[in-house]
Amino acid sequence: MTVALFPLSNLVLFPRAVLPLHIFEERYKDMTADALERDHLNAMGLLKPGWEKTYYQRPPIEPVVCVGEILSHEQLADGDYNFLLRGHIRARILREIQGKPYRIVQVERLMETSVLEIDLEEERRRLVQLFTSGGISGVPAAEQFKALLSGPAPTAHLADVVAFSFLEQTELKQRLLSETDVKCRVRQIVDAVEEIGFPIDPTLN
């Protein structure tokens, strides 16, 4: 797969998470226009430390990215874009392709271990507890996540969205994006969320 790359310094996209973006740099407006004309796909990549020195060239990025699909978009009067990008797959960069003002990469999908829902029962139970009676139960999106956890959505998919929504450490999120052992990744996500220690909303007691 060949896809446009949108690198950021402090954001890691996960599969199935939805990210709102405002595009104002000329090269990324070109990127968005081309993606909308072609396949609606963009890869989100994390810039490595020290990117500031060569930001307008091609600073190094982490090798694992999330390829996302543009769900909806609008072009503003000044040519800027707003769009919603939903993470689709984990992928590894094979090489970078020249020829555009923005970056284009050839990627391959990361192969993940297979896991049954029964193998993630404990992790799902812990997630339910976090959103029901843990500190995270006080966040505005708690009810939405409780509803998702009571439905048929796979635990691994929900864990990715939880990681995107609630974890703040960029390096940790990049490691989780790169982890292909699904059970290990889900367990690490739940552990990390438990360690955050969200303050409990006293109005819920």
Side-chain angles (χ1 to χ4, degrees):
M1 180 188 302
T2 299
V3 62
L5 173 71
F6 187 33
L8 291 174
S9 62
N10 59 354
L11 192 144
V12 178
L13 182 64
F14 281 76
R16 285 159 291 277
V18 177
L19 173 67
L21 288 165
H22 175 70
I23 306 299
F24 57 90
E25 282 191 44
E26 290 300 324
R27 55 177 170 168
Y28 295 128
K29 288 194 283 188
D30 290 344
M31 174 196 75
T32 302
D34 288 350
L36 291 172
E37 186 175 328
R38 188 173 66 170
D39 53 17
H40 285 229
L41 298 180
N42 264 324
M44 296 291 299
L46 181 66
L47 292 165
K48 289 185 175 182
W51 57 269
E52 297 91 344
K53 298 177 182 178
T54 56
Y55 175 71
Y56 291 101
Q57 287 77 50
R58 284 172 165 75
I61 58 172
E62 296 290 343
V64 173
V65 299
C66 181
V67 178
E69 177 187 10
I70 298 175
L71 297 178
S72 62
H73 73 280
E74 63 172 344
Q75 187 172 19
L76 307 179
D78 60 2
D80 291 1
Y81 284 93
N82 291 326
F83 66 77
L84 292 178
L85 186 70
R86 179 177 61 192
H88 182 46
I89 62 168
R90 290 171 161 83
R92 184 181 303 278
I93 296 174
L94 298 177
R95 67 188 183 97
E96 190 159 346
I97 299 170
Q98 307 295 324
K100 290 284 187 178
Y102 56 88
R103 301 172 74 171
I104 301 175
V105 290
Q106 186 181 62
V107 301
E108 63 176 357
R109 183 170 186 164
L110 283 186
M111 301 305 296
E112 303 177 70
T113 61
S114 60
V115 64
L116 300 175
E117 273 300 303
I118 193 172
D119 298 323
L120 298 174
E121 280 186 346
E122 174 61 18
E123 286 75 15
R124 195 177 187 103
R125 182 196 65 78
R126 291 167 64 196
L127 280 174
V128 170
Q129 185 175 22
L130 278 168
F131 286 105
T132 301
S133 58
I136 203 170
S137 63
V139 302
E143 290 300 321
Q144 179 184 358
F145 277 95
K146 282 171 60 178
L148 290 171
L149 286 162
S150 66
T155 302
H157 294 182
L158 293 177
D160 274 347
V161 180
V162 168
F164 173 78
S165 302
F166 297 103
L167 299 182
E168 295 183 353
Q169 296 181 25
T170 305
E171 291 182 2
L172 171 61
K173 293 170 83 167
Q174 182 63 37
R175 290 199 303 271
L176 292 169
L177 180 69
S178 305
E179 178 59 71
T180 57
D181 184 320
V182 177
K183 183 171 177 59
C184 178
R185 182 174 72 229
V186 173
R187 185 178 66 250
Q188 289 181 49
I189 290 171
V190 179
D191 287 345
V193 175
E194 284 181 337
E195 292 174 3
I196 292 174
F198 290 93
I200 298 177
D201 187 341
T203 64
L204 298 177
N205 296 329

